[in-house]
Amino acid sequence: MFSNTALAEVQCAAAKVACEIANGPIVPSVTPEEIRSYLTSRYDFAKPLPLEDVIGDVQSMLHKWQVHVTHPRYFGLFNPSVTVASVIADLLVSMYNPQLAAWRTSPAANEIERHTLGWLTGKFGLPATAFSNFTSGGSEANLSAVIVALTRAFPDYGEGGLRQIASSPAIYLTAGAHHGFLKIARMTGLGRCAVRLVAMDADLKIDLSDLARQVANDRRSGLTPLMVVATAGTTAAGVIDPLPEVADFCRAQDLWFHVDAAWGGAAVLSPRLKCHLDGIGEADSITCDAHKWFSVPMGAGMFFCRHRDSVLRAFDSEISFMPAKTSTVTDPYTSTAQWSRRFIGLKLFLALAERGESGYIEMIEHQARMGELLRTLLERQGWRIVNKTPLPLVCFTREGLVASKFLSALHEGQVAWMSEVHLGDGDPVLRACVTSFKTTEADIEWVVGEMSRIQ
Ligand SMILES: Cc1ncc(COP(=O)(O)O)c(C=O)c1O
């Protein structure tokens, strides 16, 4: 058993690592050659080495040679700081190594995942009969959505593939949607031409009249419109597409309504923010990553789907070497894209159980408040904010900004990690997302002050 002493030791080690990271550099300076020659000189695997030495060495490499995404001044792509409970969950999972492919092999782990996902299904407003599963990340969840939508729309897709479908299916999304959909189009055999880029309005939200125009044009040209992807928190600008309107359009047009809420989805827990996700409960499918705003380690995505029967048809499998199916439960290997499955859901279960819903609301709303503070202070310092979102992601610029030059100075000075992004036709702007629940007001004030000194 994992004793209280062991727990205290892991908590202590995690706190020490967090403290070293918070007080150290955020951005590394290293070349691939440096790391390769270091590894070659030390690790030929010819003879055993003491584990504690290797662990110490690996920690030193990780400390020196990575962008520290759990640093309170990492304002980057949505790689969160992680709760200690979720770190311990990953350790426990590795120690027990349960195989979740079949229910019979890991009843406890399968039911813990089911219980956790069932709770979130209710938060999203999906019916209790909806299907859900943990995925490796948002990309696998989005892939699952496309496969299930194809299976539902074209019953022969599973057996005969796309060549059974007389007219090419099309998927509608904006340039703000995640680019993983282009890979998905290739992986599913749809091809990138099946991805129709819909125009965005001045706020970078999906333009509903362009969506209607494109769907009608495509139908006239003999294509088969399949799915509309609405993003709830675009990666570049945190924009939330108008979910109720997209839902109505999809219903009227008999199209699959998918909501990619990979990072914005956690806002459903917040009494202050959840109104911005109104309409998400109308979705045919939802992607939401636990390894983003739920602050657990990678990789932990989630896929929710209203149409359980179609999911089961899409991923059905039967093979004699697997444990016999039971009539009362669904085996993950017959209902998801993966076969062997890690116990991904424990990190979310343990973190939710430890903090409770109220603790999660506090973490999420704290980050939203830090985003508002960042926006306010940047404006006060003369920066121009160029995106509109209730989520803690700020895109901004100023007269004469050369984003890449500014970022080099910001990173070299170890002030903060931010990125640049193209929003439309203009020059790149700066992008800062509050991804860490550890970021404080003092961090934001200090960073904005330092930024005004960079030319
Ligand atoms: C909106 C959105 N969808 C999907 C993804 C892909 O998720 P993952 O990186 O977990 O595969 C991301 C990643 O940032 C995202 O922001």
Side-chain angles (χ1 to χ4, degrees), residues 78 136-140 142 178 231 233-235 260-263 287 289 291-292:
F78 219 103
S136 54
S139 301
E140 185 194 324
N142 285 338
H178 197 262
T231 309
T234 60
T235 319
D260 182 354
W263 78 270
T287 287
D289 277 352
H291 69 203
K292 291 192 167 69

Side-chain angles (χ1 to χ4, degrees), residues 371-379 385 389-394:
E372 282 157 23
L373 179 66
L374 179 61
R375 215 170 275 128
T376 306
L377 295 186
L378 285 169
E379 275 186 311
I385 310 298
T389 175
L391 306 178
L393 195 167
V394 191

Side-chain angles (χ1 to χ4, degrees), residues 382-393:
W383 293 91
R384 185 165 56 84
I385 310 298
V386 295
N387 68 327
K388 278 197 195 145
T389 175
L391 306 178
L393 195 167

Side-chain angles (χ1 to χ4, degrees), residues 5 38 44-45 54 76-77 98 106 113 128 150 168 175 188 245 251 262 266 292 298 303 320 347 375 394 414:
T5 321
Y38 182 85
D44 61 3
F45 306 122
V54 183
L77 307 170
S106 297
E113 288 203 339
L150 279 167
S168 303
T188 51
E245 287 81 356
R251 205 174 305 117
K292 291 192 167 69
M298 287 173 256
F303 173 60
S320 61
K347 42 197 165 193
R375 215 170 275 128
V394 191
Q414 302 294 347

